[in-house]
Amino acid sequence: MSRTTADSCPGVLRLHEAADGPLARIRVPGGRLPPAQVQALAQAAHRLGDGNIELTSRGNVQLRRVHNAGALADLLGDAGLLPSRTHERVRNIVASPLSGRIGPHPDIRPLVTALDTGLLDSPQLAGLPGRVLFTLDDGRGDVSALHPDIGIHALGDDRFALVLAGRDSGVRVSTTEAVDTLLAAAHGFLEIGTGQWRLQEIDGGTERLTARLGRSPGTERLEFAEQAGPPIGWLPQNDGLVALGAGVRLGSLSARTAEFLAAIERPILLTPWRSLVITDLDEGPAEQVVRVLAPMGLLFDAGSPWLRITACAGRPGCAKSHTDIRADAAAAVEAGRTTAAATAEADAVPAASIVTAGRQHWSGCDRHCGRPAGPITEVTATPDGYQVVSPID
Ligand code: SF4
């Protein structure tokens, strides 16, 4: 597959003209946000956007209705959220959010930092399409299933599987080789590509890239399964501290809630499931955080129906949408119509008649933007009402 146009992924310096106004996307490699950066994002959303911070499926964030692009770049630059004007859109790095804090898996965080530094240090890699996704999975199997272009998956014993085009390539590398291999693969993508946005779009991309790396794949191949859901609630850390996994309704965090998060003065992790993790808390303060933030809408209960529903932008942000999809989805959750025993399949039904069950994605049109991978009920707006189909893999 070849492309005739460059990818149009937005950044801070290249805003997307959405139907409701300019949209900025801010890359957060590894989803890691120190408190000062959470505060900066809250300020940006409050002063220069629509008052909300949208979480994306790559652990990045978006601001809508940006009305002073220069001031936004200055604010984010001062906070360290725009370390490069040339490479900002290529820093799409998703890593296992709990790595180094929870579980027996190797700590992947130093490799995230090294990969980001390596990307920023290479003038050629500024030319990567903004769609290219890097993943670093510490072996728990949570992010390798996100269909990365280029990734590594820890196997223990100082070995990583090289993931290419969403699959185990069969190549194995050591910890010391891992970041250099990821960067070499990124260079190789630019060399074998002819304008494609993803490695998956290049015919024989995995084989050609493997050969260019001078690697011989073995016969072992890992299979990557979708993670059931985000980490939610009380999460004991290996060091005796506590992390709190928090769901965010339809992935939209208010600036005011973000200010409260910043005030906790602990690192926040954004996950690719549009949720976050508040880390490094003592038990007493952790209980206090739940008491304060749960009433503000953060979800600490893994049974919440909000955790099983996603929605695209819809109106007013997208001109293609047939309706305000997020309002309709929220109304369905609040009315208890998303927790039925089984989805009622339907065509051309009004929003108020929809009854669904399980994981579901609501879309304002049949492009299904932001649809999570795996089996899921699709609730799709049409000119005549909603179509409900369940579950689709
Ligand atoms: S699915 Fe359709 S309505 Fe929703 S954001 Fe994408 S193009 Fe817009």
Side-chain angles (χ1 to χ4, degrees):
M1 175 181 182
S2 60
R3 299 271 190 182
T4 55
T5 57
D7 81 280
S8 57
C9 283
V12 174
L13 303 174
R14 187 168 89 183
L15 305 184
H16 167 64
E17 289 299 326
D20 58 348
L23 177 150
R25 184 173 299 158
I26 302 135
R27 268 61 181 193
V28 184
R32 297 184 293 185
L33 286 172
Q37 292 188 343
V38 178
Q39 178 62 25
L41 288 171
Q43 275 181 12
H46 177 64
R47 288 183 9 214
L48 303 168
D50 73 352
N52 294 297
I53 300 166
E54 288 186 352
L55 311 188
T56 79
S57 61
R58 292 180 163 193
N60 293 319
V61 298
Q62 296 182 165
L63 303 179
R64 304 192 81 92
R65 299 197 342 234
V66 172
H67 51 76
N68 187 335
L72 178 67
D74 289 345
L75 192 160
L76 297 177
D78 289 347
L81 284 161
L82 186 60
S84 166
R85 297 182 72 86
T86 51
H87 289 67
E88 62 149 335
R89 297 187 318 117
V90 308
R91 303 169 67 226
N92 297 301
I93 304 174
V94 173
S96 298
L98 304 180
S99 191
R101 286 191 172 86
I102 295 174
H105 310 283
D107 186 352
I108 208 95
R109 293 174 294 177
L111 301 185
V112 174
T113 303
L115 174 60
D116 190 31
T117 301
L119 287 172
L120 292 172
D121 284 348
S122 167
Q124 292 87 359
L125 294 182
L128 281 175
R131 307 257 172 146
V132 169
L133 174 64
F134 297 89
T135 60
L136 293 90
D137 193 310
D138 70 0
R140 72 186 70 216
D142 54 353
V143 301
S144 287
L146 298 175
H147 304 289
D149 298 81
I150 302 167
I152 50 171
H153 185 106
L155 301 170
D157 64 359
D158 189 35
R159 282 196 316 151
F160 288 85
L162 178 65
V163 183
L164 295 175
R167 295 184 180 279
D168 180 3
S169 67
V171 172
R172 302 293 181 256
V173 297
S174 68
T175 306
T176 52
E177 296 173 311
V179 170
D180 286 345
T181 305
L182 290 166
L183 292 168
H187 282 283
F189 170 88
L190 289 176
E191 289 159 11
I192 66 173
T194 53
Q196 291 90 344
W197 297 348
R198 306 291 309 267
L199 179 58
Q200 290 86 326
E201 297 172 356
I202 298 175
D203 289 338
T206 294
E207 294 74 20
R208 293 166 64 191
L209 196 46
T210 302
R212 192 163 281 260
L213 292 171
R215 297 283 184 162
S216 300
T219 54
E220 178 192 40
R221 292 289 188 283
L222 303 174
E223 295 291 330
F224 304 125
E226 303 292 335
Q227 170 152 311
I232 294 293
W234 195 269
L235 307 169
Q237 296 186 180
N238 298 346
D239 58 5
L241 298 175
V242 173
L244 292 170
V248 177
R249 296 176 190 210
L250 300 181
S252 183
L253 185 72
S254 74
R256 180 167 163 70
T257 304
E259 284 177 351
F260 274 79
L261 285 168
I264 299 169
E265 297 188 333
R266 292 291 184 276
I268 303 296
L269 303 172
L270 306 177
T271 82
W273 308 284
R274 296 187 173 90
S275 68
L276 49 88
V277 181
I278 309 161
T279 66
D280 300 347
L281 296 157
D282 288 309
E283 289 199 6
E287 290 170 359
Q288 184 69 12
V289 165
V290 172
R291 272 197 294 274
V292 172
L293 292 182
M296 296 181 73
L298 287 187
L299 309 163
F300 297 102
D301 174 5
S304 170
W306 287 102
L307 296 175
R308 272 161 277 290
I309 187 165
T310 53
C312 76
R315 279 191 204 159
C318 179
K320 293 188 176 66
S321 183
H322 298 294
T323 185
D324 184 343
I325 194 81
R326 299 168 75 83
D328 287 349
V333 175
E334 282 161 5
R337 287 185 282 106
T338 62
T339 55
T343 293
E345 298 217 357
D347 265 318
V349 292
S353 300
I354 295 170
V355 177
T356 56
R359 291 177 77 223
Q360 51 201 274
H361 182 68
W362 291 51
S363 305
C365 79
D366 59 10
R367 291 180 65 165
H368 301 129
C369 299
R371 180 198 187 281
I376 196 164
T377 296
E378 289 185 347
V379 183
T380 309
T382 75
D384 306 316
Y386 275 93
Q387 180 187 58
V388 184
V389 181
S390 162
I392 293 177
D393 196 348

